[in-house]
Amino acid sequence: MENSKGKRFLSTVGAGVIGSVLTLALVTNTDLLAANSQEKSPITENTASYKVQQTSTKPATSLPDMVEQASGAIVGIVNYKEAGNRFMQDTQSVVSGSGSGVIYKIEGNKAFIVTNNHVIEDAKKIEVVLQSGEKTTAELVGKDALSDLAVLKIDAKYADTVLEFDDSDKLRAGDQVVAIGNPLSIDFSGTVTQGIVSAVNRSINVKTSAGEWKMNVIQTDAAINPGNSGGALLNADGKVVGINSLKISEKGVEGLGFAIPSNEVLPLIKEMTDHGQVERAYIGIGLADLAEVPYMYVQDLPKSVTGGVMVTTVDPLSAAGKADLKEQDVVTAINGTDVKNSIELRKFLYTKLSVGDKATLTVYRGAEMKTIEVTLTSNKSTKE
């Protein structure tokens, strides 16, 4: 990642996974405030905007009332991974980490939970712990590493309450918010913290298992700790305005937590529920920022090339393979737009282009500049 003046490289801790180093550049957060509905009716989605979901919940009259209503829809999530030699018969699942989740929809005999991808990533088994202490195994519906979101489902008999989503675009700095979750472990389930919206529309560079990404987030000073990841950030009405995902964990830094806005969460979890993943345009290459590549590999580039990304791998069956992109090619622009690093390339690819579109890449192969056209396919993995 290219460092700019005045910015520090953020130390990163995933708030949802205890005792492990996460690739996200902040700590995941959890908030919960659930709407208390007496009937297990599914949340209706605004399919035009995907901004607001509604329940029959009546507004809470006080903060304690709101917390009491919400807590039934906040769950703990335990990630179990396989321990031992996989070639032996004595392998077993052990707890790898824990986080939080939000029950947001009950449909038929299933209840759906949104959480962070890093909370459940690489899990052999996913366990959900209800407010009552009951435990049940969850099924993974869909996940997306770049947005750091995942959807789980459990038997609806465990869910009495769902959370209502509100319009995150209406948030302003200074609005009061509440986070509820399971900091550090399930032992501290139901912990409530309160603060304000510190800023809206922040853009944070993060490292995920799918590569580097620029995430749009809500900044809050509500206390967020490891284990809060995947919970809800709630407004004064007890409605979800964000899914807590990140915090800056660094000596001398306090009150810098971040949540994924609800207006971004809703369309993504709908797509994951429908298709198991978020479909994105796919080129079929692995990337390294030019600024991080040893000089011996870039010494033949013209001096005018100061930014870009080097191709580190090529999927031979992908659009890149068919277009004859090669390892050590340096991509400096896509459709005429300069790209200084892998974040900029991904952002353009995933927000400006769709499956089936043609993309024109400006590529340097040593000192020679080439123009290569690729026809984008659907992502078969989370690479570019």
Side-chain angles (χ1 to χ4, degrees):
M1 185 187 305
E2 194 172 23
N3 292 327
S4 60
K5 187 175 180 181
K7 287 187 177 179
R8 294 181 298 171
F9 188 79
L10 302 178
S11 62
T12 76
V13 182
V17 180
I18 307 299
S20 65
V21 178
L22 297 179
T23 54
L24 287 175
L26 305 161
V27 176
T28 60
N29 312 329
T30 75
D31 298 310
L32 10 129
L33 283 169
N36 206 0
S37 71
Q38 297 186 357
E39 295 182 358
K40 295 186 179 181
S41 56
I43 299 173
T44 12
E45 293 180 355
N46 180 338
T47 55
S49 64
Y50 298 114
K51 288 187 176 180
V52 180
Q53 291 186 346
Q54 298 178 346
T55 67
S56 59
T57 303
K58 296 180 179 179
T61 57
S62 67
L63 179 59
D65 287 341
M66 180 178 68
V67 170
E68 184 177 355
Q69 290 179 7
S71 296
I74 304 303
V75 300
I77 297 175
V78 183
N79 180 324
Y80 287 86
K81 293 185 179 177
E82 194 173 83
N85 189 326
R86 64 189 179 93
F87 296 106
M88 300 176 65
Q89 295 183 353
D90 61 349
T91 59
Q92 58 183 344
S93 295
V94 298
V95 175
S96 173
S98 63
S100 304
V102 178
I103 302 173
Y104 70 93
K105 180 171 69 171
I106 300 173
E107 191 172 78
N109 62 352
K110 296 296 180 183
F112 292 81
I113 298 167
V114 58
T115 185
N116 283 138
N117 175 73
H118 76 258
V119 171
I120 56 84
E121 198 159 36
D122 299 325
K124 179 72 173 178
K125 182 180 79 169
I126 302 169
E127 183 178 77
V128 169
V129 183
L130 287 301
Q131 182 192 26
S132 64
E134 275 189 291
K135 299 178 181 179
T136 184
T137 300
E139 180 182 343
L140 179 63
V141 175
K143 60 180 181 176
D144 182 57
L146 283 181
S147 66
D148 194 29
L149 292 170
V151 175
L152 312 174
K153 64 181 178 182
I154 59 174
D155 194 305
K157 70 181 182 181
Y158 295 103
D160 297 318
T161 302
V162 296
L163 282 174
E164 180 179 351
F165 284 84
D166 209 345
D167 186 351
S168 56
D169 286 347
K170 294 180 180 178
L171 286 176
R172 299 184 301 166
D175 282 344
Q176 291 190 346
V177 288
V178 172
I180 307 173
N182 309 305
L184 303 183
S185 73
I186 301 299
D187 293 340
F188 294 95
S189 63
T191 296
V192 182
T193 57
Q194 185 179 25
I196 62 170
V197 172
S198 303
V200 295
N201 297 323
R202 289 292 195 211
S203 188
I204 301 294
N205 292 346
V206 298
K207 292 182 178 180
T208 76
S209 58
E212 295 184 14
W213 183 241
K214 185 166 287 188
M215 184 180 287
N216 296 322
V217 291
I218 300 162
Q219 181 183 332
T220 179
D221 69 348
I224 303 298
N225 292 288
N228 281 138
S229 294
L233 187 68
L234 300 157
N235 62 17
D237 294 327
K239 298 177 182 179
V240 180
V241 290
I243 297 298
N244 298 314
S245 295
L246 313 166
K247 72 173 287 185
I248 293 179
S249 180
E250 189 174 296
K251 186 176 181 180
V253 174
E254 295 181 4
L256 288 176
F258 302 91
I260 306 167
S262 57
N263 287 357
E264 295 196 13
V265 172
L266 281 168
L268 291 170
I269 61 176
K270 183 180 187 306
E271 189 167 355
M272 281 184 269
T273 303
D274 291 344
H275 305 294
Q277 65 176 9
V278 176
E279 185 179 56
R280 294 188 174 94
Y282 177 72
I283 296 178
I285 55 177
L287 301 175
D289 290 353
L290 196 62
E292 299 176 344
V293 176
Y295 177 72
M296 62 181 291
Y297 294 105
V298 297
Q299 58 185 341
D300 294 332
L301 286 175
K303 294 191 181 299
S304 59
V305 177
T306 58
V309 291
M310 178 171 282
V311 176
T312 58
T313 59
V314 178
D315 177 354
L317 301 178
S318 70
K322 294 174 182 177
D324 201 33
L325 271 170
K326 298 184 180 299
E327 292 182 10
Q328 298 186 30
D329 281 352
V330 174
V331 180
T332 60
I334 180 169
N335 287 4
T337 299
D338 291 343
V339 289
K340 296 179 181 178
N341 50 50
S342 57
I343 292 178
E344 291 187 1
L345 178 57
R346 289 187 179 97
K347 197 74 173 179
F348 189 97
L349 180 65
Y350 298 153
T351 61
K352 304 292 185 183
L353 298 172
S354 302
V355 175
D357 287 349
K358 293 185 184 298
T360 301
L361 304 178
T362 302
V363 175
Y364 281 88
R365 189 167 292 166
E368 182 185 2
M369 187 183 80
K370 292 177 171 287
T371 300
I372 296 178
E373 186 178 85
V374 296
T375 300
L376 303 173
T377 58
S378 175
N379 54 306
K380 302 301 182 183
S381 69
T382 50
K383 292 182 188 176
E384 291 73 34

